[in-house]
Amino acid sequence: MKWCAYHYIYQIVQILIKGGDLSEQTKVGRQVALLGIFCPTFWYYFLSGADRSTLIFHGTHSGIVFLIGVAIMAVSLKKKSRIDE
């Protein structure tokens, strides 16, 4: 489960529902973004020489996961800066 980005997205939803710490949200966002970049499924297909459509599918999926992670980090950092002011 640790290698699945959706596990971390589920964690961030739980943190938001429970009103968790902003640093937890930022940490989970970072983990989601890193899993998007280093997605084992994408790299497996890339290194095994899969066809173009498979690479585009998995690359697009990894990119979306990366952007979700970056968005989570940006929102939590923006909230933190508002609180600090």
Side-chain angles (χ1 to χ4, degrees), residues 2-9 11-12 15 21-39 62-77:
K2 280 175 49 174
W3 296 104
C4 180
Y6 297 109
H7 168 73
Y8 290 104
I9 293 171
Q11 275 186 338
I12 195 70
I15 291 169
D21 185 19
L22 289 174
S23 63
E24 287 181 67
Q25 294 174 22
T26 306
K27 181 180 174 185
V28 173
R30 180 195 66 212
Q31 290 168 329
V32 170
L34 287 173
L35 281 173
I37 292 173
F38 299 110
C39 178
S62 293
I64 291 169
V65 169
F66 172 76
L67 291 176
I68 289 171
V70 169
I72 291 169
M73 284 190 324
V75 167
S76 67
L77 290 172

Side-chain angles (χ1 to χ4, degrees), residues 10-57:
Y10 175 73
Q11 275 186 338
I12 195 70
V13 170
Q14 283 184 325
I15 291 169
L16 291 172
I17 289 171
K18 294 178 183 178
D21 185 19
L22 289 174
S23 63
E24 287 181 67
Q25 294 174 22
T26 306
K27 181 180 174 185
V28 173
R30 180 195 66 212
Q31 290 168 329
V32 170
L34 287 173
L35 281 173
I37 292 173
F38 299 110
C39 178
T41 306
F42 169 76
W43 288 105
Y44 170 76
Y45 284 113
F46 180 75
L47 295 173
S48 68
D51 60 46
R52 185 174 185 211
S53 63
T54 302
L55 287 177
I56 289 172
F57 173 77

